[in-house]
């Protein structure tokens, strides 16, 4: 299978990997009530925040190296190996009996999952030109959001069966799927993509110097980082906020919160991908404007999430946030492709992951303390100000000069 057809097969194969990527990490966010019966340390929201944050600290710290590796080595091998290891970790979490064991396993998961996103997005970007790139990446992103939504059912399955069974079952699924990828996924290394030569070994120092010497990349880095604060806040703490504000148990709050935000984000990335692929043909800032519309929608949503008191208000706000974040999320890698040549893109996205994930770790820790103090909703509302600041900076400074940066 060759050409355009296989380029969409690649998206389909990686879609399920993306689903497992987010589902395996997200399940923990909703299974605290079941797990704390067996692991007493999880009764503290601060301890739970620490457990969630270690994944983010490790994930973020490894991300630049993961991007450099993806630009220099076989991306198929990285994707298959990453999936196999994090699925094995998920499986092993079903046998954990202490907080320390969970902490170590979450750290290992952070390493293995960090290798996936830069390699996968770089591979998809090389298979798809500027006319289909945002849509292809948007479709891939729907896998992440579907995984986040299904992760919300972790609490439901854990309440019905056990939290151990939940981890073990989904870990085994990922292990088996890694062998499917081994057979069907193909690398583009050594061939020519629509954006120039790919697969050439690039010295890490050269890639870093190129990226950090590009003022537009610094703006994109900031543009990616600050919205990660509310993005990770929603991923890791919205189930808790739903449970506390609406006075419902986590088995209900988990699926309700993740399905609302993930379902609307799924719609958002598809709309955002379709819209920006067409807008950028007429205006080089089309992808930037699409992302800006998305960020603008998250501002009132965060305020209403924080101060809303009824089921209708909070669910509507969560839907608005998810849709807006989807518009934003679908265009990060495509905007990077307008600013950076193919051979540096995985490294660039790795650096973006570093700053984005570290900001996520900070907000996860902070919201754990905020939850213990009874201020979780107010903290969510304050994040709207952060989004407003970066939205202003983005619209003023981010000005791509080409639809697809090509460097000979």
């Amino acid at each position: 299978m060759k050409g355009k057809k296989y380029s969409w097969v690649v998206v389909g194969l990686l879609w399920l990997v993306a689903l497992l990527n987010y589902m395996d990490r997200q399940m923990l966010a909703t299974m605290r009530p079941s797990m704390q019966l067996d692991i007493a340390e999880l009764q503290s929201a601060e301890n739970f925040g620490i457990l969630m944050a270690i994944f983010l600290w490790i994930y973020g710290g490894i991300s630049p190296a993961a991007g450099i590796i993806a630009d220099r080595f076989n991306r198929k091998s990285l994707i298959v190996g990453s999936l196999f290891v994090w699925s094995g970790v998920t499986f092993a979490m079903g046998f954990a009996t202490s907080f320390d064991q969970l902490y170590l396993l979450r750290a290992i998961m952070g390493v293995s999952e960090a290798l996936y996103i830069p390699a996968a997005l770089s591979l998809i970007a090389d298979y798809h030109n500027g006319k289909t790139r945002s849509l292809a990446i948007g479709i891939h992103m729907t896998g992440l959001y579907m995984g986040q939504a299904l992760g919300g059912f972790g609490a439901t399955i854990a309440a019905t069966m056990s939290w151990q069974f939940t981890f073990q079952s989904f870990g085994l699924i990922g292990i088996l799927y890694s062998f499917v990828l081994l057979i069907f996924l193909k690398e583009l290394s050594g061939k020519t993509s629509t954006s120039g030569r790919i697969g050439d070994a690039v010295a890490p120092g050269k890639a870093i110097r190129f990226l950090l010497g590009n003022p537009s990349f610094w703006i994109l880095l900031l543009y990616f980082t600050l919205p990660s604060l509310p993005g990770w806040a929603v991923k890791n703490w919205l189930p808790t906020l739903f449970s506390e504000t609406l006075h419902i148990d986590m088995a209900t709050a988990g699926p309700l919160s993740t399905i609302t935000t993930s379902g609307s984000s799924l719609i958002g990335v598809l709309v955002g991908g379709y819209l920006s692929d067409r807008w950028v043909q007429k205006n080089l800032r089309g992808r930037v404007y699409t992302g800006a519309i998305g960020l603008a929608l998250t501002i009132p949503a965060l305020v209403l999430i924080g101060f809303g008191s009824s089921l209708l208000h909070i669910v509507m706000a969560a839907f608005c946030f998810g849709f807006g974040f989807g518009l934003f999320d679908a265009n990060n890698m495509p905007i990077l492709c307008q600013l950076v040549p193919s051979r540096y893109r995985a490294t660039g996205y790795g650096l973006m992951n570093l700053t984005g994930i570290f900001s996520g770790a900070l907000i996860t820790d902070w919201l754990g303390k905020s939850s213990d103090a009874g201020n979780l909703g107010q903290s969510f509302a304050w994040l709207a100000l952060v989004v407003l600041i970066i939205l202003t900076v983005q619209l003023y400074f981010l000005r791509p000069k080409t639809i697809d940066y090509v460097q000979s």
Side-chain angles (χ1 to χ4, degrees):
M1 191 179 301
K2 299 179 180 180
K4 292 183 178 180
K5 288 185 178 180
Y6 187 73
S7 68
W8 289 107
V9 170
V10 170
V11 175
L13 288 170
L14 296 182
W15 185 89
L16 186 54
V17 186
L19 182 149
L20 292 170
N21 183 283
Y22 258 62
M23 184 175 67
D24 288 351
R25 73 172 72 166
Q26 185 66 27
M27 286 190 297
L28 181 62
T30 65
M31 292 201 296
R32 177 185 165 202
S34 297
M35 296 176 71
Q36 70 186 15
L37 298 176
D38 298 308
I39 301 175
E41 291 91 337
L42 295 181
Q43 294 174 14
S44 164
E46 183 174 354
N47 282 340
F48 186 69
I50 290 171
L51 185 62
M52 298 293 289
I54 185 56
F55 168 86
L56 299 176
W57 286 118
I58 298 295
Y59 187 108
I62 294 295
S63 288
I68 291 170
I69 291 170
D71 275 334
R72 291 177 61 83
F73 298 103
N74 187 283
R75 291 171 293 190
K76 171 185 174 178
S77 298
L78 288 174
I79 291 167
V80 173
S82 175
L83 171 62
F84 182 84
V85 172
W86 91 59
S87 298
V89 167
T90 302
F91 182 78
M93 287 180 71
F95 297 94
T97 58
S98 70
F99 181 85
D100 290 341
Q101 290 173 357
L102 288 174
Y103 190 84
L104 176 62
L105 289 169
R106 287 288 287 185
I108 297 172
M109 178 178 281
V111 175
S112 57
E113 288 207 2
L115 292 170
Y116 173 68
I117 288 292
L121 293 186
S122 172
L123 188 61
I124 292 172
D126 281 335
Y127 266 109
H128 289 266
N129 63 26
K131 294 182 179 179
T132 61
R133 183 169 287 149
S134 283
L135 181 59
I137 288 176
I139 291 173
H140 174 264
M141 298 298 287
T142 65
L144 299 178
Y145 292 123
M146 185 65 73
Q148 184 180 342
L150 293 178
F153 284 96
T156 306
I157 299 173
T160 304
M161 306 293 289
S162 70
W163 63 268
Q164 293 93 339
F165 173 84
T166 306
F167 281 127
Q168 292 164 10
S169 299
F170 289 110
L172 184 59
I173 290 172
I175 292 172
L176 294 176
Y177 189 63
S178 66
F179 291 100
V180 174
L181 282 187
L182 194 62
I183 298 171
F184 294 105
L185 185 64
K186 298 177 182 178
E187 172 62 272
L188 257 174
S189 180
K191 299 182 180 180
T192 301
S193 77
T194 57
S195 53
R197 290 179 299 163
I198 63 170
D200 300 329
V202 178
K206 181 179 180 182
I208 297 295
R209 286 194 300 272
F210 177 88
L211 292 165
L212 299 187
N214 183 344
S216 294
F217 179 74
W218 282 99
I219 300 300
L220 181 61
L221 199 62
L222 186 65
Y223 165 69
F224 183 84
T225 300
L226 292 186
S228 295
L229 292 168
W232 282 103
V234 166
K235 289 182 181 76
N236 290 338
W237 284 105
L238 191 59
T240 299
L241 184 65
F242 266 48
S243 179
E244 293 178 354
T245 303
L246 301 176
H247 307 291
I248 54 179
D249 60 54
M250 188 61 81
T252 302
L256 179 62
S257 61
T258 57
I259 288 175
T260 301
T261 54
S262 301
S264 57
S265 293
L266 188 153
I267 298 170
V269 292
L270 293 177
V271 173
Y274 180 86
L275 176 61
S276 76
D277 277 340
R278 279 145 187 79
W279 202 341
V280 78
Q281 303 297 319
K282 300 178 181 179
N283 187 321
L284 290 177
R285 300 187 76 195
R287 301 198 195 283
V288 175
Y289 291 145
T290 304
I293 292 171
L295 287 184
L297 289 173
T298 69
I299 294 173
L302 284 166
V303 174
L304 195 53
I305 286 173
F307 294 123
S309 58
S310 71
L311 175 63
L312 179 62
H313 289 159
I314 295 179
V315 169
M316 285 179 60
F319 185 93
C320 184
F321 179 90
F323 181 78
F325 204 83
L327 293 178
F328 160 79
D329 225 5
N331 286 286
N332 291 319
M333 185 60 162
I335 292 173
L336 179 67
C337 292
Q338 292 185 266
L339 305 174
V340 173
S342 176
R343 67 185 68 189
Y344 304 135
R345 286 173 189 165
T347 301
Y349 203 86
L351 290 172
M352 290 162 64
N353 256 349
L354 167 70
T355 56
I357 297 300
F358 274 9
S359 66
L362 288 171
I363 200 67
T364 298
D365 273 342
W366 181 58
L367 289 178
K369 298 173 183 177
S370 179
S371 178
D372 280 339
N375 299 322
L376 188 58
Q378 183 178 351
S379 298
F380 263 85
W382 272 110
L383 292 173
L385 180 61
V386 174
V387 178
L388 179 60
I389 292 171
I390 190 54
L391 177 61
T392 304
V393 172
Q394 173 225 17
L395 287 173
Y396 187 80
F397 289 104
L398 204 53
R399 300 176 183 273
K401 297 179 180 180
T402 177
I403 192 173
D404 195 8
Y405 193 121
V406 177
Q407 185 181 63
S408 59

